[in-house]
Amino acid sequence: MTNISSTAHHYTPSGKDNDPTELSFDDKVLHYIEQNKPKGSLSELMDQMRELSPDKTISMQQMNKALLYSDTYLRNTDDSRDYTDSVLDKFTIQLLGVNMLFNNMMYKSFTQSDDDTSL
């Protein structure tokens, strides 16, 4: 049986062909959060995340995925565990909630019935 270690391993950027000069959006967010440990509000963090890829349109799902990725990775590092507990977890939960609300509103806007059984 294989033993799965719960310790964090150094990540490899997942950009095109693993070219280290081309980081994925998830990795850009991770690096930014790891270096700056932003605290402000979720709205400010979302603006900062969008600025990491100014030439692309970033969706709510992409931001949600990148924040979950960062939270998961940083939770497993000794240097960032306190930050994830006190700040990043809250941002992650808030963004998950906003994303769920947005998706639910979009779904309801495309359905004709107000009946909740259509979910």
Side-chain angles (χ1 to χ4, degrees):
M1 191 162 262
T2 306
N3 185 11
I4 298 174
S5 174
S6 64
T7 59
H9 298 285
H10 191 69
Y11 53 88
T12 303
S14 54
K16 284 190 223 170
D17 301 323
N18 271 344
D19 179 6
T21 60
E22 182 64 33
L23 294 177
S24 71
F25 181 67
D26 292 353
D27 290 325
K28 287 178 184 180
V29 171
L30 173 60
H31 287 295
Y32 177 79
I33 291 174
E34 191 172 32
Q35 291 173 358
N36 298 298
K37 296 193 181 353
K39 293 195 176 177
S41 68
L42 177 61
S43 178
E44 292 169 347
L45 178 60
M46 290 171 65
D47 289 341
Q48 293 162 355
M49 290 168 67
R50 283 186 189 103
E51 290 173 7
L52 296 173
S53 290
D55 57 329
K56 297 179 183 174
T57 301
I58 304 298
S59 70
M60 291 285 289
Q61 287 82 7
Q62 287 173 301
M63 284 191 280
N64 193 28
K65 180 178 169 266
L67 197 54
L68 282 167
Y69 174 78
S70 299
D71 191 30
T72 302
Y73 179 84
L74 293 174
R75 168 159 305 291
N76 292 312
T77 61
D78 292 333
D79 296 340
S80 299
R81 191 167 293 130
D82 289 338
Y83 174 72
T84 58
D85 288 342
S86 62
V87 177
L88 200 55
D89 284 351
K90 293 174 187 173
F91 285 151
T92 303
I93 290 168
Q94 287 174 346
L95 189 54
L96 279 167
V98 168
N99 204 19
M100 286 174 45
L101 176 66
F102 179 78
N103 286 336
N104 197 13
M105 287 174 37
M106 291 298 293
Y107 174 78
K108 287 190 180 227
S109 73
F110 289 114
T111 59
Q112 298 296 323
S113 174
D114 288 336
D115 182 16
D116 284 338
T117 60
S118 64
L119 296 174

